[in-house]
Every structure is written in structure tokens, then in C-alpha cells.
Amino acid sequence: VQLQAFGGGLVQAGGSLRLSCAASGRTFSNYAMGWFRQAPGKEREFVAAIRSTGGSTYYTNSVKGRFTISRDNAKNTAYLQMNSLKPEDTAVYYCAAGSLFPTTVSNRYDYWGQGTLVTVSS
């Protein structure tokens, strides 16, 4: 499956952004989806995941209550709604597709998008 992430940009602290991940090539609804991020000089880290059916979600602690992952299988798209953004959320955000849920381990995901940059100013 091919993934394309978009929706990043520059936002002030406390603001919101919605990232989208458009999928093509294989049956999107067969895959769990995850979002990861990589800040400058840091390793890629797990952010959120959603089951293939959309019925279950999982978040890293630092984004719980602020970020919401969702998906629309009819549109072959996953989303990450980010509210109350903080400067420490600044990173390149990647979407990924895999067969396992929930998994926070990047190498358990089979397909990756190209990343979209989110910059949160203080």
C-alpha cells in the first residue's frame, strides 16, 4: 500500500492541526494504521495507532487527551487530529500501515508515508 501524509504546517502553541494519510494500492481496511514522529536529533517515536476496523485506538502518554487518531475506510484515509499543541510536538510526522494492533514498534509496520513537518512555535 502506498501512503501519503499531508496537513503539516506552522502553528502557535495551543493551536490545532489535522494530519491526513491517504492510502492507495491495497485494501486499506485490512491494515492497522499508526502515526509516528521524529524530532530533530531524536529517534522516531510512536504517537498513536488505530485498528483496521477503527474500533480501537492506542496513544503514547504524552499525547493522550490532546491527539485523536481516526480513519475513514471508505475514503482510504487515516487522520491525526492534534489539539493543544506544544513546542515539543514539533517533528516530522509519519503514517504507517501494518498487520498488528496495537504495536508501538516501528519495524512492525510494513508501509510508510513520506512524512509531513509540524512546527509549533512558542
Side-chain angles (χ1 to χ4, degrees), residues 4-114:
Q4 184 175 6
F6 56 94
L10 174 63
V11 63
Q12 288 188 333
S16 298
L17 279 176
R18 188 176 81 156
L19 305 184
S20 299
C21 178
S24 62
R26 287 181 181 262
T27 305
F28 176 70
S29 59
N30 286 347
Y31 295 93
M33 295 297 297
W35 286 94
F36 287 75
R37 65 187 179 186
Q38 187 166 17
K42 295 187 177 182
E43 293 187 354
R44 190 173 298 187
E45 65 171 352
F46 170 80
V47 175
I50 187 167
R51 192 182 292 276
S52 59
T53 60
S56 299
T57 58
Y58 187 77
Y59 299 91
T60 192
N61 286 338
S62 63
V63 307
K64 284 182 181 177
R66 300 190 298 123
F67 290 11
T68 302
I69 187 171
S70 62
R71 65 191 297 160
D72 185 338
N73 286 345
K75 295 183 178 180
N76 291 340
T77 303
Y79 305 96
L80 186 68
Q81 177 67 44
M82 305 185 294
N83 299 329
S84 302
L85 282 161
K86 304 176 181 180
E88 51 264 43
D89 294 318
T90 294
V92 176
Y93 283 72
Y94 300 88
C95 59
S99 301
L100 301 176
F101 176 86
T103 180
T104 65
V105 180
S106 60
N107 64 14
R108 299 292 180 90
Y109 288 84
D110 302 310
Y111 305 98
W112 289 83
Q114 84 287 4

